[in-house]
Amino acid sequence: MIKLVINPELRDYLPPLTDAECESLHLMLTRDGIRDSIKYWMNPDTEKAEIIDGHNRYAWAQKNGKPYKEECISFPRPTLANVKLWMLKNQEGRRGGGTFAKTIEIVKLEAEAEGLPEPPPKEIRDEVMKRTGASRQATERKLAGKVDKTSNELTELLKLLKQKLSNPESLERFKSFLESL
């Protein structure tokens, strides 16, 4: 058995299980054992086997001294961006985060994985519309809602823009904020 390690950046990359999901997982693991393998990649920078799927199962196995299977996932370009992209795609239809938020992150990571800069907000919006089938208006509402939930700064900037749309300083602050997303 290979020595698996937990990279906190990868462990914390996806939303954690809710309390109910965690309880359900522990009940299933107690009843059935670990059915799915713990997936890992060999990080070329650390030369360690880092878990990319199964953090909760692995923690449960370690705590309870239970056996588990391992599976190494190989990447043609072994980068953290490709690993995160794989993690997001592997979680599709499973839990947490919502399809829309995951799609935004996938679009950004695909560019990073190809060594390209993050696409501008308009390209992200257009790609999310294409992949989710959402209308432009719905996509823009959801993008604004996603940002609004994560930042009070956007609310303040929107107020400034509504009051002084022609003020170049306000507009530049808003553009700068959007580029930082």
Side-chain angles (χ1 to χ4, degrees):
M1 220 178 218
I2 193 160
K3 179 172 174 26
L4 299 176
V5 297
I6 294 176
N7 176 335
E9 182 177 357
L10 295 176
R11 178 196 61 212
D12 299 339
Y13 183 64
L14 297 172
L17 294 176
T18 64
D19 290 342
E21 289 170 327
C22 197
E23 184 178 333
S24 177
L25 175 65
H26 289 184
L27 287 172
M28 186 211 54
L29 292 172
T30 301
R31 183 186 68 231
D32 303 331
I34 298 177
R35 298 181 298 199
D36 297 326
S37 62
I38 308 295
K39 313 241 184 337
Y40 68 93
W41 79 305
M42 291 304 296
N43 185 329
D45 296 330
T46 64
E47 297 183 358
K48 293 184 178 178
E50 297 178 351
I51 297 173
I52 59 175
D53 179 58
H55 290 91
N56 294 298
R57 287 176 276 134
Y58 179 76
W60 182 87
Q62 294 298 304
K63 180 181 176 186
N64 295 288
K66 299 294 184 179
Y68 55 89
K69 296 179 202 125
E70 304 158 346
E71 180 181 348
C72 183
I73 304 297
S74 298
F75 298 91
R77 293 184 65 214
T79 64
L80 208 50
N82 278 320
V83 169
K84 288 178 177 180
L85 184 58
W86 182 92
M87 290 171 67
L88 277 173
K89 288 182 175 182
N90 186 55
Q91 289 296 315
E92 284 181 331
R94 283 173 135 185
R95 64 172 170 95
T99 302
F100 190 81
K102 286 179 185 174
T103 303
I104 292 169
E105 192 65 18
I106 287 170
V107 169
K108 291 178 180 181
L109 281 171
E110 284 174 343
E112 185 180 336
E114 293 297 319
L116 302 171
E118 182 177 304
K122 181 189 177 305
E123 286 181 27
I124 292 173
R125 180 203 63 213
D126 293 348
E127 189 63 25
V128 169
M129 284 170 42
K130 185 171 92 179
R131 293 181 189 198
T132 63
S135 70
R136 181 183 185 132
Q137 186 178 14
T139 301
E140 287 175 350
R141 267 197 323 268
K142 287 184 179 184
L143 280 170
K146 176 188 179 289
V147 174
D148 194 27
K149 288 177 188 170
T150 59
S151 174
N152 292 330
E153 186 175 352
L154 178 63
T155 304
E156 292 303 313
L157 287 170
L158 287 173
K159 286 178 187 175
L160 281 172
L161 287 173
K162 285 179 183 177
Q163 292 170 359
K164 301 176 182 181
L165 191 56
S166 62
N167 181 332
E169 180 185 27
S170 296
L171 193 54
E172 281 304 312
R173 285 183 58 212
F174 183 69
K175 285 180 182 177
S176 175
F177 176 76
L178 284 179
E179 289 172 356
S180 72
L181 296 177

